[in-house]
Amino acid sequence: MAANDSIFLGAHEAPGQHSVQRCDACGADWHELDASPACPHCGGLLAIIHRAPLDSMGAPAAPAALQHAFAQHCCARPSGHPSGVWRFEQVVMPAAGAAITSHPEGNTPLLSRARVSAWAGCDGLLLKHEGYNPTGSFKDRGMTVGTTQAVRTGATAVACASTGNTSASLASYAAQAGIPGLVFVPAGKVALGKMAQTLAYGATTLLVRGDFDDCLRLVQDASRELGIYLLNSINPWRVEGQKTIVLELLQQMDWHVPDFLVLPAGNLGNTAAFGKALREAHALGLIHRMPRLVSVQAAGAAPFATAFRDSFRERLRVQAETIATAIRIGDPASWDRAVRASRDTDGLVLSVTDEEIIDAKVQVDAAGVGCEPASAASVAGVRQLVRSGVIRSGDRVVAVLTGHVLKDPGMLVELHQQRDDFAHANRPVEIEVSVRAVADVLARRTREGA
Ligand code: F0G
């Protein structure tokens, strides 16, 4: 693991600032209010380095005091927002002040469902359901912080490339902040619920004739040339917000570290954010060991999983194809950071087929929980690790469900109403206005279930 001094600012660094933006590639520091989408020197990705939280005497805050502060915080703000992101303000954006733009968000549940545990073969499985966020995905945690930064820097417009969830979230938070939002999505490849949200919240929506990777290149060029504030997960403040998934679940587990932390992976922003959260939590003494981070890609969009099997010797790109449109990404942007996250946590990277994703989703849905297809990759990943003997009986496992079941209604209608080969189809039955007809349907269902 890297030394503590690169995790937090040293005592004499950046006087007068709470945080700096540091280039991953050349190490240059930039003021926290610099709005550049990448290092102005070398084009490298920027990361936020905070000053470690201090107590009232100016000494490094003790872990127990920090845990207490996290538990108390936020309702004490004048805004009174009980946000699951801003509760951790000291390690997210300590200088946000009155600029905070919050729904609120976060405070998502950690669920235990016997049906899903039994299917995955893992008694100790907990589901951290990020679909409970205001726009139905984990993106809101990063977006509240990214939008707050847009407000702080006086941005005149904000933009992102997206497979759909980031665009829905950006559209919502931009509307709240009163800043025009611009989104770049692959034409014809965004799930219905996400597109509907993006349009409803009022973002200017560009349907790009290309895939997500094309959209990301285009938005980066447009942001550089047109001076639009970039809100993709390479934005370092978005990463700060997404760290709170980990902080909140550790808090919910009373700061007991799970053995495995499993998440779906596409552009690798979340994998990078989880790694940063864990390194910082460890350096602050909030936790004393690392969970093994497990990033799960769809088999048709799995360059990171392929590279993992070769000890990350090479950075790979693929032409992505999968039913899980959220993670249909072939050239992940946060690659190097995700490699570090994986190495720091003795992590694993898996790929699961579209069939495994659908099987897992059927179980999560039928448990009454529901999630979007990409989210189910994490549960499919748990089952794979149980079967290969890596996850053992007694292990505590948290799988992150990243998005809500209603994000992709088109796929559900197709599976349940249109496809003849779907074994779990729950077909709706059209009837006449008669109790007799109701009784007939019930009788048939009873016979079929017997
Ligand atoms: N799960 C869902 C539901 C997502 O929407 C995404 C990414 C991921 C997992 C993967 O996270 O990219 O950080 O590895 N969605 C982005 C978007 C790309 O534009 O909404 P990642």
Side-chain angles (χ1 to χ4, degrees):
M1 192 184 304
N4 279 6
D5 58 359
S6 67
I7 295 180
F8 292 103
L9 283 174
H12 304 294
E13 286 182 282
Q17 284 188 73
H18 286 91
S19 320
V20 298
Q21 307 189 73
R22 181 167 294 168
C23 176
D24 276 2
C26 73
D29 280 353
W30 302 94
H31 193 278
E32 68 171 299
L33 291 178
D34 191 307
S36 308
C39 176
H41 261 167
C42 74
L45 293 190
L46 298 171
I48 304 302
I49 311 288
H50 299 294
R51 199 167 297 292
L54 302 176
D55 65 18
S56 55
M57 310 297 285
L66 265 180
Q67 288 164 358
H68 182 71
F70 293 153
Q72 298 297 311
H73 186 56
C74 229
C75 305
R77 275 191 153 276
S79 65
H81 286 319
S83 164
V85 172
W86 295 103
R87 202 148 27 95
F88 302 101
E89 185 175 6
Q90 291 177 81
V91 290
V92 169
M93 184 185 270
I100 291 178
T101 305
S102 165
H103 259 266
E105 49 289 303
N107 294 316
T108 59
L110 204 48
L111 307 171
S112 160
R113 289 292 182 274
R115 181 183 181 129
V116 182
S117 297
W119 180 80
C122 178
D123 288 345
L125 177 61
L126 295 170
L127 307 169
K128 176 72 173 157
H129 205 327
E130 289 294 303
Y132 283 61
N133 270 294
T135 77
S137 85
F138 72 96
K139 304 291 181 181
D140 295 335
R141 291 184 183 263
M143 205 53 76
T144 179
V145 184
T147 310
T148 297
Q149 182 68 0
V151 171
R152 293 176 78 203
T153 58
T156 52
V158 290
C160 71
S162 180
T163 54
N165 278 325
T166 304
S167 58
S169 186
L170 178 144
S172 166
Y173 281 85
Q176 192 181 342
I179 303 174
L182 182 62
V183 308
F184 297 64
V185 296
K189 295 292 181 187
V190 175
L192 187 60
K194 304 174 189 184
M195 181 59 86
Q197 287 179 290
T198 305
L199 299 176
Y201 298 137
T204 299
T205 305
L206 304 176
L207 306 177
V208 178
R209 296 191 194 109
D211 60 14
F212 170 81
D213 302 299
D214 295 319
C215 292
L216 187 54
R217 278 189 292 272
L218 182 59
V219 77
Q220 284 174 286
D221 291 345
S223 135
R224 233 185 342 264
E225 288 176 31
L226 307 176
I228 302 168
Y229 190 64
L230 185 65
L231 277 177
N232 270 99
S233 61
I234 53 174
N235 178 308
W237 297 103
R238 286 251 339 254
V239 173
E240 293 307 291
Q242 284 171 212
K243 286 185 334 195
T244 65
I245 303 172
V246 171
L247 295 173
E248 188 176 276
L249 77 86
L250 288 170
Q251 189 181 38
Q252 286 167 312
M253 297 177 81
D254 216 6
W255 302 97
H256 294 303
V257 178
D259 298 296
F260 293 87
L261 179 49
V262 188
L263 77 164
N267 211 23
L268 300 175
N270 232 12
T271 301
F274 280 31
K276 189 169 192 281
L278 290 166
R279 276 195 302 278
E280 292 177 358
H282 192 268
L284 290 170
L286 295 168
I287 56 173
H288 301 292
R289 67 183 180 90
M290 294 290 199
R292 293 188 77 181
L293 199 57
V294 184
S295 308
V296 187
Q297 296 202 293
F304 196 58
T306 308
F308 169 77
R309 289 193 285 276
D310 193 26
S311 308
F312 297 123
R313 243 185 287 281
E314 248 189 297
R315 178 168 180 166
L316 305 175
R317 291 173 182 76
V318 300
Q319 191 66 44
E321 193 47 82
T322 167
I323 191 170
T325 51
I327 50 175
R328 193 174 176 276
I329 295 171
D331 184 13
S334 296
W335 185 281
D336 293 336
R337 292 175 173 181
V339 170
R340 181 174 178 197
S342 185
R343 290 193 171 136
D344 282 352
T345 61
D346 189 20
L348 297 161
V349 189
L350 313 178
S351 65
V352 292
T353 63
D354 280 1
E355 288 68 33
E356 289 174 292
I357 289 174
I358 293 174
D359 285 351
K361 179 173 155 54
V362 163
Q363 299 303 325
V364 175
D365 288 356
V369 173
C371 67
E372 71 162 283
S375 306
S378 60
V379 175
V382 172
R383 180 171 154 109
Q384 207 183 86
L385 288 180
V386 169
R387 291 188 155 190
S388 60
V390 176
I391 292 179
R392 288 190 299 244
S393 157
D395 281 340
R396 303 226 303 171
V397 180
V398 176
V400 181
L401 299 178
T402 43
H404 196 277
V405 66
L406 285 176
K407 287 286 189 173
D408 197 346
M411 179 199 181
L412 287 169
V413 168
E414 192 202 320
L415 283 178
H416 289 289
Q417 291 189 246
Q418 291 163 2
R419 256 185 38 193
D420 293 330
D421 59 341
F422 182 51
H424 302 278
N426 178 18
R427 295 210 190 288
V429 187
E430 192 170 322
I431 59 163
E432 297 301 333
V433 191
S434 102
V435 172
R436 184 61 204 257
V438 178
D440 284 350
V441 173
L442 289 179
R444 208 175 324 131
R445 283 274 153 112
T446 308
R447 272 199 309 278
E448 284 165 5

